[in-house]
Amino acid sequence: MTARDSVSGQGLITTMSPGEARPTAPKWAYLLTAAGAAVIIATYVAVLVTQPATLGQDLGNTTLWVMVGYLAGAALIAAGTLPLIPRSIFALMPIAIALNITVGQIVGTLTPIPLYLDSLGSVIVGVLAGPAAGALTGVLGNLIWGVTINPTVIAFTAGAAFVGAAAGWAARLGAFRAAWWAVLAGAIAGIPGGALGAPVAAFVFGGGLGVGTGGIVATLQAAGLEMLNATTVQSLASDTADKAIIFLLAFLVLRTLPKRIVSRYPLAMRSLSAMRSKTHSVSS
């Protein structure tokens, strides 16, 4: 059965089939989303080119212009994706952001574990509502975290946006229909995620920032690797493991959420429907 609903005034047409919804937004929505992504990329490149020495030390002029760049990109993405993101996801975003900050601050900066786990909330939102919602959660989470607790994380906002978006792309490809697929998708997403973070950590902050990651970078440097190479090796290894774990945790969370919540998000229902169908066929 297929139902088609049009929303007057927004030009939004949504085609719904069992377990899936494909919204078609007006062209301006896609243009704004693309512009937001471009602003985030441009801010990231500007950080690498200028390598501001005072970035993240406090909320001074240098940190503020980076924050404004990422915030402008987030605002454009938010404006462009309003027709694409289920309205109910905005009620869950504050919880997801708090989860990112709390877990990330504890694991990434206070423990010797060479992981971050600071994008679990973004990944959950991405799985529920798609790439744009995941990316928006990642950006807002890092900016709020930077303003309230740790300004250094603002420099890594582009990577946070990518991970949230990658979760949505992985969900669309069916990666959350099985645990091992989720782990594999997370490991793959960790490669570009680590590649995005490594230059910032090396050029701006002089290596890993966390207790665990900083220790690995120092060990690799003592073994003879240059700063960028040591940071890249650490980032790729840590991010691959980190995102594999986070995607697996998101897989488990998806299956423990009340059905009344998950049923609001057709993208998430695809994964649950596939799992339940497989379970039913095995039991039969």
Side-chain angles (χ1 to χ4, degrees), residues 70-109:
Y70 284 128
L71 187 60
L76 289 170
I77 290 176
T81 55
L82 281 176
L84 301 173
I85 297 178
R87 298 296 189 271
S88 57
I89 200 65
F90 291 105
L92 292 180
M93 277 188 181
I95 300 174
I97 290 172
L99 184 61
N100 282 354
I101 296 172
T102 302
V103 178
Q105 183 66 23
I106 293 173
V107 176
T109 62

Side-chain angles (χ1 to χ4, degrees), residues 194-209:
L196 283 171
V200 176
F203 295 141
V204 179
F205 298 110
L209 292 176

Side-chain angles (χ1 to χ4, degrees), residues 2-195:
T2 301
R4 177 164 295 191
D5 302 308
S6 61
V7 180
S8 61
Q10 293 183 351
L12 177 63
I13 298 177
T14 304
T15 301
M16 299 183 65
S17 57
E20 183 175 6
R22 295 177 181 175
T24 301
K27 290 183 179 180
W28 61 261
Y30 293 105
L31 290 175
L32 284 177
T33 303
V39 170
I40 289 175
I41 293 172
T43 304
Y44 171 80
V45 172
V47 169
L48 293 185
V49 171
T50 60
Q51 298 179 22
T54 59
L55 177 60
Q57 292 181 6
D58 51 41
L59 294 178
N61 292 335
T62 301
T63 303
L64 285 177
W65 75 255
V66 174
M67 186 174 68
V68 167
Y70 284 128
L71 187 60
L76 289 170
I77 290 176
T81 55
L82 281 176
L84 301 173
I85 297 178
R87 298 296 189 271
S88 57
I89 200 65
F90 291 105
L92 292 180
M93 277 188 181
I95 300 174
I97 290 172
L99 184 61
N100 282 354
I101 296 172
T102 302
V103 178
Q105 183 66 23
I106 293 173
V107 176
T109 62
L110 301 179
T111 71
I113 303 173
L115 298 173
Y116 319 103
L117 302 184
D118 58 354
S119 56
L120 179 57
S122 305
V123 169
I124 292 173
V125 170
V127 173
L128 289 174
L136 183 59
T137 304
V139 172
L140 294 178
N142 265 42
L143 293 180
I144 293 172
W145 187 3
V147 170
T148 57
I149 301 175
N150 185 1
T152 59
V153 301
I154 293 175
F156 298 93
T157 301
F162 169 79
V163 172
W169 296 325
R172 287 182 177 175
L173 293 173
F176 290 89
R177 296 180 179 181
W180 72 274
W181 273 117
V183 171
L184 179 60
I188 293 173
I191 296 173

